[in-house]
Amino acid sequence: MARAFLFVLDSFGVGGGQDAQAYNDLGSNTFGHIAEFCAAGAADRAGLRQGPLSLPNMSSLGLLEIAKLASGDYPIGMQRPERVFGLHGAANELSLGKDTPSGHWEIAGTPVTFDWGYFPTEGDAFSPELVEAICREAGIPGVLGNCHASGTDIIAKLGEEHVRTGKPICYTSSDSVFQIAAHETHFGLERLLKLCETVRTLLDPLNIGRVIARPFTGETPETFERTGNRRDYSVLPPEPTLLDRLVSAGRTVHAVGKIGDIFAHQGISRVIKANGNHALMDATLDTMAQAEQGDLVFTNFVDFDMLYGHRRDVAGYAAALEEFDRSLPEVHRRLQPGDMVIITADHGCDPTWRGTDHTRERVPIMAFGPGIRSRSIGLRPTFADIGETVAAHLGIPAGRHGWSFL
């Protein structure tokens, strides 16, 4: 028996999306553009970071070779290592859309081949009939927002009116998502979560992927701050995923961060919550020490996407990558004979790109562990190859999609 550790760096795309043009993302490259900005001094920030992007550990795991494979160029300003350790490659996404559930489900062996429902980009995002049903079923006096928006921007704009009127802030993005922001104390956290459950039921006929609770605190636009009590209400994956197959085989799936929410808590044995990348890594290291033979530890590092990608914060994204890179030796020290770690992503969110939405890109695959031979696994046709590799490594039967690269 062995153990597997699957780390998703949320939104860390490597460019080269084969169908990026269909999503108006041709030329987007999260990793490549961050490196380019860092090399030009455009990602220097006093007290945070400066200079070229420095990721020595991931570079030694083949990250620079992955960038060349995925997008055709080595990232600017980064030094190539003398030697590469472990398996390295990149993967195309088969799933329709460029959202979090599609990416994670495909990583877990279940591509999304149907179209999600989306809300209009012009005028009101939500129809009068839907808003009326929400207000009636949830007993609220109305909603604010009703548009496409950045979460932090719309809370700053409408937060005081929300506190004064008791109307929740409802908004969406280019993803298949309905987001609800409300004050943790003035509106109430439990009341917000119950509202999201109501909205989830009303949206099922529209095939909307997620309803997200976005609680915040503070009393003024300058002090409003989203908290770590976010909750995602996802629809169920369209068929059993790698996680279901592991649980059915008697294995334990440890879900760190928002993984449980992304999979609607199906195929999840244990949920470990943490707020922020640093806390998520600490929780992951603790879970690695507890995991038994045959287990999967599955972690989503959300800050890359939520705090830096969507906010188009190049310096913050670069600093977060460098912090994650510095933690990898500690991950390596936790490994036992037979263990395997896979580092990947679920989509892109190029912080230099227009707008504030995800970008359609290939994702990196870095796999290492005791006894894993160093080699390129090339360009994979689907993220599902990652899930099938975990299945093969943990000794359970193969699924319907993807091929193991072991």
Side-chain angles (χ1 to χ4, degrees):
M1 274 264 217
R3 305 185 303 170
F5 306 97
L6 181 52
F7 300 160
V8 176
L9 310 191
D10 200 314
S11 85
F12 187 48
V14 288
Q18 62 181 356
D19 53 0
Q21 188 166 2
Y23 294 85
N24 296 316
D25 290 330
L26 185 63
S28 62
N29 187 338
T30 301
F31 176 36
H33 287 152
I34 291 172
E36 182 179 351
F37 272 52
C38 289
D44 292 352
R45 185 177 297 167
L48 180 67
R49 69 162 314 281
Q50 62 180 5
L53 187 62
S54 178
L55 305 174
N57 294 306
M58 284 195 283
S59 295
S60 294
L61 293 173
L63 181 58
L64 306 191
E65 300 302 321
I66 291 169
K68 180 70 163 59
L69 174 69
S71 62
D73 297 300
Y74 287 110
I76 295 173
M78 298 186 68
Q79 185 174 356
R80 293 170 62 186
E82 294 183 2
R83 183 181 173 190
V84 171
F85 301 87
L87 302 174
H88 55 279
N92 290 303
E93 184 170 9
L94 289 181
S95 296
L96 302 177
K98 48 182 178 178
D99 54 87
T100 294
S102 295
H104 280 77
W105 295 355
E106 185 169 335
I107 289 169
T110 304
V112 174
T113 56
F114 58 83
D115 285 317
W116 293 106
Y118 298 94
F119 293 110
T121 57
E122 301 293 334
D124 288 344
F126 316 123
S127 69
E129 294 79 14
L130 176 59
V131 172
E132 181 183 354
I134 292 171
C135 294
R136 181 181 64 251
E137 296 297 323
I140 56 176
V143 304
L144 302 175
N146 194 358
C147 60
H148 283 245
S150 159
T152 51
D153 290 346
I154 201 168
I155 289 171
K157 179 181 178 181
L158 299 176
E160 289 180 313
E161 184 178 356
H162 156 69
V163 171
R164 185 175 66 254
T165 64
K167 297 177 181 180
I169 303 168
C170 300
Y171 60 103
T172 187
S173 71
S174 64
D175 289 345
S176 180
V177 64
F178 189 112
Q179 304 195 65
I180 308 176
H183 200 283
E184 279 203 359
T185 53
H186 294 295
F187 190 86
L189 178 59
E190 291 305 317
R191 187 182 176 201
L192 170 60
L193 300 182
K194 185 172 179 57
L195 169 60
C196 288
E197 292 172 1
T198 298
V199 174
R200 172 71 274 169
T201 301
L202 293 171
L203 292 179
D204 283 346
L206 302 179
N207 200 29
I208 300 299
R210 285 182 296 167
V211 175
I212 303 179
R214 293 287 197 175
F216 65 96
T217 58
E219 299 301 326
T220 65
E222 294 74 26
T223 60
F224 289 146
E225 183 177 5
R226 295 196 296 196
T227 75
N229 291 320
R230 163 183 171 159
R231 186 81 58 83
D232 292 35
Y233 296 85
S234 298
V235 297
L236 290 172
E239 61 182 83
T241 68
L242 165 72
L243 312 187
D244 298 301
R245 290 150 52 198
L246 286 169
V247 169
S248 295
R251 312 299 178 80
T252 299
V253 175
H254 307 263
V256 183
K258 68 176 188 176
I259 293 296
D261 287 349
I262 292 169
F263 288 87
H265 295 272
Q266 181 170 286
I268 305 295
S269 310
R270 179 174 174 240
V271 173
I272 304 96
K273 287 289 188 180
N275 184 26
N277 278 3
H278 186 81
L280 286 162
M281 178 54 77
D282 286 345
T284 298
L285 293 172
D286 289 343
T287 306
M288 291 180 73
Q290 301 164 16
E292 299 180 352
Q293 295 298 303
D295 286 4
L296 169 65
V297 177
F298 195 174
T299 304
N300 173 282
F301 292 91
V302 68
D303 285 0
F304 297 112
D305 185 58
M306 182 176 71
L307 297 185
Y308 310 119
H310 285 299
R311 298 184 188 181
R312 298 310 192 232
D313 182 353
V314 180
Y317 207 130
L321 286 170
E322 290 168 338
E323 180 184 28
F324 178 83
D325 191 83
R326 289 191 294 269
S327 70
L328 287 177
E330 191 59 40
V331 171
H332 192 271
R333 282 190 282 271
R334 293 284 202 284
L335 298 183
Q336 301 173 6
D339 285 351
M340 178 178 66
V341 177
I342 298 179
I343 302 171
T344 188
D346 54 340
H347 49 70
C349 198
D350 187 341
T352 74
W353 205 243
R354 56 183 172 268
T356 61
D357 294 320
H358 295 155
T359 44
R360 182 75 165 187
E361 302 177 43
R362 290 168 171 153
V363 301
I365 302 172
M366 293 167 275
F368 65 96
I372 293 181
R373 181 170 59 88
S374 302
R375 62 184 175 89
S376 172
I377 57 172
L379 189 59
R380 313 302 295 191
T382 168
F383 297 3
D385 288 4
I386 299 167
E388 290 314 306
T389 300
V390 172
H393 181 73
L394 295 180
I396 66 169
R400 298 177 54 224
H401 311 281
W403 301 265
S404 169
F405 45 73
L406 292 179

